Structure formats: structure tokens, C-alpha cells
């Protein structure tokens, strides 16, 4: 009978420890996912800015460049709208996507 009581005690203690470990690790997991998602959003914003810089560079090199294409910057892809010129000002929109995070910038 002593062995049964000891085995039951060990199982109960192990179950309690398992519940404690799982309950404390779930919030940490979600916190890490939130941090990763914010990193992806920042990367998307930086990629969009890089794409806008590339559009401006292409306009300097080729004044006939009118946009409407996709640009790859690292792992991110950017969609460039058609460029509209009003006097000395050019207007275009850049949409960047990185791991599901989307950034839209208008210049």
C-alpha cells in the first residue's frame, strides 16, 4: 500500500507541475508572437520606403519610367502604382508586404 500512495503522490505532483509550466509558458509564447509581428510590420515599412527610393532612382535614370510594376527588396515585394506627374511633382503609391504585414505609402 505504501508504494501505491507514493506513486499516486508522484503522479499528482507531476500533473500540478505540468499545469503550472503550461500556464506560464502560453503568455510568453503570445508575447513573443506579438514581438515578431511588430518586427514584421517594421520590416514592411522599411521595405516600402526602400521601394519608394528605388522608384525615385528609376525616375532619375529614366524620365519615362511610369511605375505600375513590382519591385523586390530582399524578401519583401512592393507594388508600385502608376506615376502621375503634376507640374514638378510626381505622385505614386507603394505597397509593401512582408510575412503578411502590409504597408502602403503615398508620395
Amino acid at each position: 500500500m505504501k508504494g501505491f500512495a507514493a506513486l499516486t503522490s508522484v503522479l499528482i505532483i507531476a500533473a500540478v507541475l505540468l499545469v503550472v509550466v503550461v500556464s506560464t509558458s502560453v503568455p510568453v509564447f503570445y508575447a513573443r508572437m506579438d514581438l515578431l509581428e511588430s518586427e514584421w510590420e517594421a520590416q514592411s515599412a522599411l521595405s516600402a520606403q526602400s521601394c519608394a527610393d528605388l522608384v525615385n532612382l528609376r525616375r532619375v535614370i529614366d524620365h519615362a519610367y511610369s511605375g505600375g510594376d513590382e519591385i523586390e527588396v530582399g524578401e519583401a515585394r512592393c507594388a508600385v502604382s502608376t506615376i502621375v506627374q503634376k507640374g514638378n511633382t510626381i505622385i505614386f503609391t507603394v505597397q509593401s508586404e512582408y510575412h503578411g504585414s502590409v504597408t502602403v505609402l503615398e508620395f
Side-chain angles (χ1 to χ4, degrees), residues 11-50:
L11 290 176
I12 290 173
I13 291 171
V16 169
L17 285 174
L18 182 64
V19 167
V20 168
V21 167
V22 168
S23 66
T24 57
S25 66
V26 169
V28 171
F29 175 75
Y30 286 123
R32 286 184 178 181
M33 287 305 293
D34 288 341
L35 181 64
L36 183 60
E37 190 172 306
S38 66
E39 181 69 26
W40 288 344
E41 290 172 1
Q43 185 66 34
S44 174
L46 290 172
S47 297
Q49 184 64 44
S50 297

Side-chain angles (χ1 to χ4, degrees), residues 75-90:
E75 295 179 20
R77 292 175 32 178
C78 300
V80 181
S81 69
T82 304
I83 297 173
V84 177
Q85 186 163 357
K86 294 182 179 179
N88 291 335
T89 306
I90 61 170

Side-chain angles (χ1 to χ4, degrees), residues 51-61 65 90 92 107:
C51 287
D53 291 342
L54 285 172
V55 168
N56 286 328
L57 178 64
R58 287 183 181 182
R59 281 289 290 180
V60 168
I61 293 171
Y65 176 70
I90 61 170
F92 61 93
F107 292 92

